[in-house]
Amino acid sequence: MNEDLKVNLSWLPQDHLEASSPENVSTAVSSLIPVVDPEPELIVNPWDIVLCTSGTLISCENAIVVLIIFQNPNLRAPMFLLIGSLALADLLAGIGLIINFIFAYLLQSEATKLVTIGLIVASFSASVCSLLAITVDRYLSLYYALTYNSERTVTFTYIMLILLWGASICIGLLPIMGWNCLKDESTCSVIRPLTKNNAAILSVSFLLMFALMLQLYIQICKIVMRHAHQIALQHHFLATSHYVTTRKGVSTLAIILGTFAACWMPFTLYSLIADYTYPSMYTYATLLPATYNSIINPVIYAFRNQEIQKAFWLICCGCIRSSLSQRARSPSDV
């Protein structure tokens, strides 16, 4: 009964409440004010969760490739060194995405932000440069087929690795050394704390490397077609067999280049035209496909390779699949 009285009392007009005893009214009103739980806030950005998940997958996948190449002494040819460089760069990029997620929500500071963004920029730069180096190596292995397996090629490969990792590390150190927008937010790019100029230089550099890769793959495609035609003439293959082999090689090159462009081009172009005032959702939507490139790289460059497949099966179960040991290399395997 008292409860009903209190409920009714809460809905009384103001003048009636004033006529009542102040003490009773105060008690009644205070007892009837509903305790409304605050609406739960979204603490973690779902986009950050997706990026962290992508980083985890990148790290696990590329760690396998790095482990295979590191443990197998037979995988020391220039091609495998470059594939290992690509896998190591993608592995560091995945670790950078995970660390960025942890620091963003557990240890927020300007220093950690600069370190994580520097690691991510350096890793992805090394990844893209490694892709370019692999393209150069493939071109040289076809154009200079007779002299490719020489000490000069190994030396050239080490020089490429030193240059690409040196340049990538320097690029990653730029935000830490002071080229950032922490003191002047108006100069920020879509990726804080990178400056707009820094992002523009990275984007233009990517476009130049993509143009060079496109030109090299066009030349590779011509060489593959010529080699396939010569092999067909030497072994008296049918024209249809030559066509199928050539088409397979061209399709492989198109997949490699198309995947690379589809993953990186949206974020590259967006970084050129946008700045910190644009909605962050657009940045996440274009950056996420770029991380997918590091997921796809091991599939395209490592797990399709016969020697790496053999080493993988040896590590897993101590055996080699018969289909791997009997398969011959064709001109389409580029």
Side-chain angles (χ1 to χ4, degrees):
M1 189 66 181
N2 292 336
E3 244 182 289
D4 295 338
L5 180 61
K6 289 180 181 180
V7 171
N8 293 331
L9 185 62
S10 66
W11 293 99
L12 287 177
Q14 186 66 25
D15 57 346
H16 188 87
L17 288 175
E18 290 175 355
S20 304
S21 171
E23 185 177 353
N24 293 337
V25 172
S26 176
T27 305
V29 172
S30 63
S31 65
L32 287 170
I33 295 177
V35 179
V36 180
D37 294 331
E39 190 175 331
E41 297 180 359
L42 189 62
I43 299 177
V44 180
N45 189 335
W47 286 102
D48 288 332
I49 297 177
V50 176
L51 281 177
C52 183
T53 304
S54 178
T56 304
L57 183 57
I58 291 171
S59 301
C60 295
E61 201 175 11
N62 286 279
I64 295 175
V65 180
V66 172
L67 180 65
I68 290 174
I69 295 178
F70 179 77
Q71 284 194 344
N72 196 325
N74 296 325
L75 302 179
R76 294 295 180 269
M79 175 180 60
F80 297 115
L81 292 177
L82 295 174
I83 292 176
S85 172
L86 175 63
L88 178 60
D90 288 334
L91 172 61
L92 293 176
I95 293 174
L97 292 174
I98 298 173
I99 293 176
N100 181 67
F101 178 83
I102 296 174
F103 283 173
Y105 293 98
L106 298 181
L107 188 60
Q108 298 182 0
S109 68
E110 291 186 356
T112 57
K113 186 178 297 184
L114 290 174
V115 170
T116 52
I117 198 67
L119 174 61
I120 292 174
V121 169
S123 301
F124 279 123
S125 298
S127 176
V128 174
C129 291
S130 295
L131 290 175
L132 176 60
I134 290 174
T135 307
V136 173
D137 178 74
R138 286 180 167 179
Y139 172 76
L140 294 177
S141 67
L142 292 173
Y143 192 80
Y144 300 103
L146 297 179
T147 60
Y148 173 75
N149 295 317
S150 63
E151 289 295 328
R152 182 179 301 178
T153 304
V154 176
T155 303
F156 180 72
T157 301
Y158 280 114
I159 292 175
M160 282 198 301
L161 289 174
I162 293 173
L163 290 177
L164 76 87
W165 277 101
S168 300
I169 292 173
C170 290
I171 293 173
L173 288 176
L174 289 179
I176 302 175
M177 300 301 292
W179 198 9
N180 57 68
C181 64
L182 293 179
K183 295 181 180 180
D184 186 6
E185 190 173 346
S186 62
T187 62
C188 284
S189 65
V190 293
I191 298 293
R192 194 175 184 274
L194 291 183
T195 63
K196 177 69 174 174
N197 291 335
N198 194 343
I201 291 175
L202 291 175
S203 299
V204 171
S205 300
F206 169 83
L207 293 175
L208 292 175
M209 285 191 288
F210 177 76
L212 180 57
M213 289 177 63
L214 178 61
Q215 179 62 29
L216 286 173
Y217 272 122
I218 290 175
Q219 298 301 320
I220 289 174
C221 185
K222 292 180 180 180
I223 295 174
V224 168
M225 294 175 65
R226 186 168 65 248
H227 284 186
H229 180 68
Q230 292 173 352
I231 293 175
L233 291 177
Q234 291 174 2
H235 294 82
H236 305 288
F237 288 163
L238 297 176
T240 54
S241 176
H242 166 234
Y243 172 75
V244 170
T245 303
T246 305
R247 187 180 63 179
K248 183 181 177 182
V250 174
S251 300
T252 302
L253 296 178
I255 291 173
I256 292 173
L257 200 60
T259 301
F260 178 66
C263 290
W264 276 105
M265 199 61 72
F267 180 71
T268 301
L269 297 178
Y270 180 71
S271 298
L272 282 175
I273 63 175
D275 56 24
Y276 74 101
T277 60
Y278 281 60
S280 60
M281 181 185 68
Y282 298 152
T283 303
Y284 282 112
T286 54
L287 178 60
L288 193 59
T291 65
Y292 291 160
N293 186 241
S294 296
I295 299 176
I296 300 172
N297 282 340
V299 178
I300 294 178
Y301 294 95
F303 297 136
R304 289 177 65 251
N305 184 277
Q306 281 184 265
E307 298 301 322
I308 292 180
Q309 289 182 33
K310 291 178 182 179
F312 177 76
W313 286 107
L314 282 173
I315 292 176
C316 289
C317 59
C319 62
I320 301 177
R321 295 171 60 185
S322 58
S323 60
L324 296 178
S325 59
Q326 297 175 359
R327 182 177 175 269
R329 184 175 176 84
S330 67
S332 62
D333 295 332
V334 294

